[in-house]
């Protein structure tokens, strides 16, 4: 096995969870003057960012480092001539830099395929060059996976009008050749293929970059810019191709919404059309490399949108927007720009400092939170230096014109054609006023509150009549409500608009180990930020958070037009019964909807559940084909014969079914369900693609609680709004823990790990969700739903249904088991208070011998039988602690004070 790619999935490891966090920097001559000194200064910056990169067990095997340069025409002309190749004028040829197999036969086959595809695309390959390398400084791990380095020269055909048209053609060639060659030659990878830029990079330390590539030391290697990167692959494997820079960006940070961003981009592919690309885009698919890192996939998307016609800063503004919804002083035209583009694409959210270039300009942008440092220096001799920190390049104090730092959400842009730094306000005002975005929004964006009242669905009192004749306790029981939930969870949310406060942690069993039927949501655990990724304070930093979302049918991302914002805007994804009725009757405003029941025949068990899910998927496909904009999944039709499908299973299953079909962005998903009532329930539903949720049974329950005096006398509508407020704030809080600011970008991002679901369920219905151990299948999920259903609809007619008392949060004899029962706590207190060792042993026995109930994964483990090591052979504590390592990304996290 080589390490050109991360290892295959094995044990608890899976290559899709690769991330990185690194150092990034650039130097650019403001006036565009090329020189070899820029290259050398770029390498100096890179070496001074070494502490932000990482190495393996071998100090000379790095996580990755590299440098992006403008096309060095003088150098390329010289080395091409040495191969007998005469290059045309700058811009009329492109250079590709490829990793390839060390095997000469495999390389020859790859070159042959490349030349054939280039010819099919109307371009002429002038020849190849073996790039000289010196691996003397590399560690054995890097050498074991070292690819062969080669460059190709391509002449621009006469029918391509300009550089950008040539860049598009080279993009198609790169995409096609990767798909054609890489399966046979896993080393094959294009670091760059452009007429403007070239990238030298690899699985190197910063210091090794200049040593490994002698090209970089040639005095004819000249550039007006150098973008460098030192990689720290957090908890993941280094590789040659995952080194930065990529073709347009170098990135320090993490894209936390990546899974959702990939899903949405993959679904949008089927609608991509571009006059600039013509019919060639279909030949280039897949346009997004799903196996790449978060930085690489971001680069794929930015490159595509730029080549399809947007300016590079415009595309960056779309992907990393400022916080605009609550920004009171933002100009109306810029706010309109962001609101319009929010209809086209969700933010790529997470802590990020991204430097970007297409070879004609150099820019940088910080995420909306500013959680990655970026500082710059401008010199009197027209140099601009920016990096993850100050001091990466020694500059004489008398030569410093001024210094500064990137601010959250702000853009920094050096325009070499104009020879100046373009201010954030200027560049964004220019882009925001290119089109009448506010006019487009006023014409086409529909706010939910502006939809006509659904008069025939809403009764005289303004409320929807309950269509299900079953009594309220029956419905509550069918969905697993307990009296404890009413008292501890729903009451504070309806009364005060806040979540209940509780202790962290739980001593109840994992759902997969529980003897009680548990809701599907409980099998999913919210992921948290990595060590390098501080969470957001969703209260004190509320200006950067947003609950606004849109639902409806998206249009072609690559062709922005007024109708692209023809969607329904929601202030929160949690909607009332009346708002749901408005969506059901939004067809007269151009948003036709269809309601699909999410119930299954109780008598058929697992087979009925699976059949019902397939029926939902098929019905959704037919509805989309007929032009439906909104699919409403509803379990209101449950009765004695039909049990509700777990809402999360229906939502996530349909979401991924439509992604696989390429139709997901053509429809908005709405859920009408009696099941969700906790914040975690709503977070998982939104995380798996649900655009709007109507928890009708919660509202019925609140009405019942008011009449039963479980809530103080208050208006029903006010209590419902309080609940919606509490849930919305709760979802924002959950998203903020992993550095996500907006519910729009949290939607579909599936920031969860499944604990206790088998791979068949996860792969089919929760595709690409982390699930490191297996567990229950569809049969158990069906049985858990049916246990609740049988309790609600007992065989004996006339039986009175009452809610279970609960017991998840407070111990109850008939409730969920607790690791620390009253008996165990009593025995512990007795042992501590009396100092009686026998009492302690009784306590330990009670804890250790709970054979009727397993609680944690470690309860499944057993000690191997082996001979114990004598204590006198074990090192003392003082010797062990000398070997402790405290390496971390931030000294603050490991300081004495902390």
């Amino acid at each position: 096995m080589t390490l050109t790619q991360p290892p295959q999935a094995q044990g608890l490891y899976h290559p899709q969870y690769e991330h990185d966090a690194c150092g990034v920097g650039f130097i650019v001559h403001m006036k565009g003057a090329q020189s070899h000194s820029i290259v050398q200064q770029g390498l100096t910056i890179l070496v001074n960012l070494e502490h932000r990169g990482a190495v393996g067990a071998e100090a000379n095997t790095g996580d990755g480092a590299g440098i992006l340069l403008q096309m060095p025409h003088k150098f390329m002309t010289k080395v091409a001539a040495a191969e007998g190749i005469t290059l045309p004028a700058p811009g009329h040829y492109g250079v590709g830099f490829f990793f390839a197999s060390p095997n000469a036969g495999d390389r020859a086959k790859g070159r042959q395929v490349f030349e054939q595809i280039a010819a099919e695309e109307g371009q002429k390959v002038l020849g190849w060059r073996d790039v000289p390398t010196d691996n003397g400084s590399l560690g054995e791990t890097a050498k074991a996976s070292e690819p062969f380095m080669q460059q190709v020269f391509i002449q621009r055909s006469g029918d391509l009008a300009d550089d950008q048209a040539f860049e598009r053609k080279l993009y198609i060639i790169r995409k096609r050749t990767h798909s054609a060659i890489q399966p046979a030659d896993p080393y094959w990878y294009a670091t760059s293929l452009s007429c403007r830029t070239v990238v030298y990079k690899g699985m190197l330390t910063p210091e090794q970059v200049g040593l490994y590539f002698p090209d970089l030391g040639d005095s004819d290697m000249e550039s007006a810019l150098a973008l460098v990167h030192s990689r720290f692959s957090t908890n993941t494997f280094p590789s040659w191709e995952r080194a930065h820079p990529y073709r347009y960006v170098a990135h320090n940070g993490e894209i936390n919404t990546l899974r959702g961003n990939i899903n949405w981009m993959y679904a949008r592919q089927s609608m991509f059309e571009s006059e600039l690309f013509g019919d060639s885009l279909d030949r280039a698919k897949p346009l997004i490399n799903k196996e790449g890192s978060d930085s690489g996939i971001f680069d794929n998307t930015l490159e595509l949108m730029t080549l399809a016609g947007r300016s590079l800063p415009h595309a960056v503004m779309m992907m990393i927007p400022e916080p605009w919804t609550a920004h009171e002083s933002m100009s109306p035209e810029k706010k309109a720009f962001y609101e319009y583009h929010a209809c086209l694409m969700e933010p790529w959210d997470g802590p990020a400092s991204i430097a970007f270039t297409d070879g004609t300009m150099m820019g940088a942008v910080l995420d909306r939170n500013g959680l990655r440092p970026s500082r710059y220096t401008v010199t009197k001799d027209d140099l601009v230096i920016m990096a993850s920190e100050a001091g990466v390049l020694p500059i004489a104090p008398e030569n410093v014109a001024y210094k500064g730092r990137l601010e959250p959400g702000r853009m920094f842009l050096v325009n070499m054609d104009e020879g100046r730094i373009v201010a954030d306000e200027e560049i964004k005002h220019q882009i925001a006023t290119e089109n009448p975005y506010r006019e487009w929004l006023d014409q086409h964006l529909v706010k939910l509150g502006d939809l006509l009242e659904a008069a025939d669905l809403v009764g005289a009192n303004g409320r929807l009549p309950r269509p299900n004749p079953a009594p309220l306790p029956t419905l509550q029981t069918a969905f697993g409500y307990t009296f404890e939930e009413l008292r501890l969870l729903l009451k504070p949310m309806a009364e005060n608009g806040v979540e209940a406060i509780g202790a962290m942690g739980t001593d109840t069993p994992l759902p997969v180990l529980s003897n009680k039927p548990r809701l599907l949501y409980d099998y999913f655990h919210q992921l948290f930020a990595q060590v390098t990724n501080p969470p957001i304070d969703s209260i004190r930093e509320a200006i950067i958070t947003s609950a606004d979302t849109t639902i409806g049918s998206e249009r072609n991302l690559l062709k922005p037009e007024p109708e692209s914002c023809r969607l329904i805007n929601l202030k929160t994804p949690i909607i009332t019964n009346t708002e749901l009725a408005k969506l059901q009757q939004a067809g007269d405003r151009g948003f036709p909807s269809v309601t699909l029941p999410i119930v299954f025949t109780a008598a058929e068990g697992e087979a009925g559940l699976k059949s019902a899910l397939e029926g939902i998927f098929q019905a959704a496909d037919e509805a989309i084909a007929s032009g439906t904009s909104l699919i409403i999944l509803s379990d209101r039709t449950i009765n004695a014969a039909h049990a509700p499908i777990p809402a999360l299973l229906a939502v996530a299953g349909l979401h991924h079914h439509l992604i696989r079909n390429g139709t997901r962005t053509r429809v908005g998903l709405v859920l009408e369900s009696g099941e969700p009532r906790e914040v975690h329930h709503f977070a998982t539903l939104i995380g798996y693609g649900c655009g709007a949720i109507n928890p009708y049974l919660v509202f019925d329950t609140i009405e019942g609680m008011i009449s039963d005096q479980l809530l103080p006398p208050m208006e029903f509508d006010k209590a419902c709004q309080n609940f919606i407020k509490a849930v919305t704030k709760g979802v924002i809080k959950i998203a903020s823990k992993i550095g996500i600011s907006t519910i729009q970008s949290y939607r579909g991002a599936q920031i969860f790990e499944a604990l206790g679901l088998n791979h068949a369920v996860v792969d089919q219905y929760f595709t690409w969700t982390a699930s490191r151990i297996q567990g229950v299948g569809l049969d158990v999920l069906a049985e858990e739903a049916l246990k609740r259903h049988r309790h609600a609809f007992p065989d004996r007619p006339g039986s009175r249904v009452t809610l279970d008392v609960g017991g998840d949060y407070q111990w109850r004899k008939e409730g969920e088991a607790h690791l620390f029962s009253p008996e165990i706590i009593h025995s512990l207190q007795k042992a501590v208070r009396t100092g009686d060792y026998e009492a302690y042993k009784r306590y330990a026995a009670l804890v250790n011998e709970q054979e009727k109930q397993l609680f944690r994964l470690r309860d499944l483990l057993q000690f191997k039988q082996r001979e114990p090591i004598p204590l006198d052979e074990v090192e003392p504590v003082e010797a062990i602690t000398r070997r402790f390592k405290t390496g971390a990304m931030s000294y603050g996290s490991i300081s004495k004070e902390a």
Side-chain angles (χ1 to χ4, degrees), residues 539-614:
I539 298 173
R540 293 167 186 83
E541 299 178 82
I543 189 174
I544 64 169
T545 64
S546 172
D548 275 38
T549 61
T550 55
I551 57 171
S553 180
E554 291 186 19
R555 296 171 74 91
N556 180 10
L557 175 67
L558 303 185
K559 185 183 178 183
E561 51 193 349
E563 295 79 9
S564 295
C565 60
R566 184 68 180 163
L567 297 167
I568 299 174
N569 173 259
L570 310 177
K571 289 301 178 186
T572 169
I574 319 303
I575 59 175
T576 64
N577 296 341
T578 303
E579 289 171 330
L580 174 67
K582 290 184 176 186
L583 293 179
Q584 288 173 326
Q585 292 204 340
D588 59 344
R589 294 293 301 272
F591 300 97
S593 68
V594 63
T595 299
L596 303 179
I598 51 171
V599 296
F600 68 102
T601 304
E604 295 179 0
E606 178 193 4
L609 175 59
K610 191 168 186 178
S611 174
L613 286 167
E614 292 302 319

Side-chain angles (χ1 to χ4, degrees), residues 41 60 116 124 197 317 360 398 631 684 687 704 725 851 867:
Q41 287 170 309
N60 53 356
Q116 178 183 340
K124 180 182 179 182
T197 58
M317 286 174 67
T360 68
E398 60 273 15
I631 291 179
T684 47
K725 176 184 175 183
E851 296 178 355
E867 195 69 29

Side-chain angles (χ1 to χ4, degrees), residues 722-745:
N722 282 347
F723 176 83
I724 290 172
K725 176 184 175 183
V727 171
T728 304
K729 288 170 59 179
V731 173
I732 288 175
K733 179 192 72 177
I734 288 174
S736 70
K737 290 179 181 177
I738 197 168
I740 296 174
S741 311
T742 71
I743 287 181
Q744 185 193 17
S745 52

Side-chain angles (χ1 to χ4, degrees), residues 510-511 518-525 678 680-681 755 808:
L510 292 170
R518 299 286 288 271
L519 295 176
L520 181 56
Y521 310 102
D522 297 341
Y523 287 87
F524 290 83
H525 291 239
E678 299 181 24
H680 176 66
H681 301 172
L755 186 56
D808 282 343

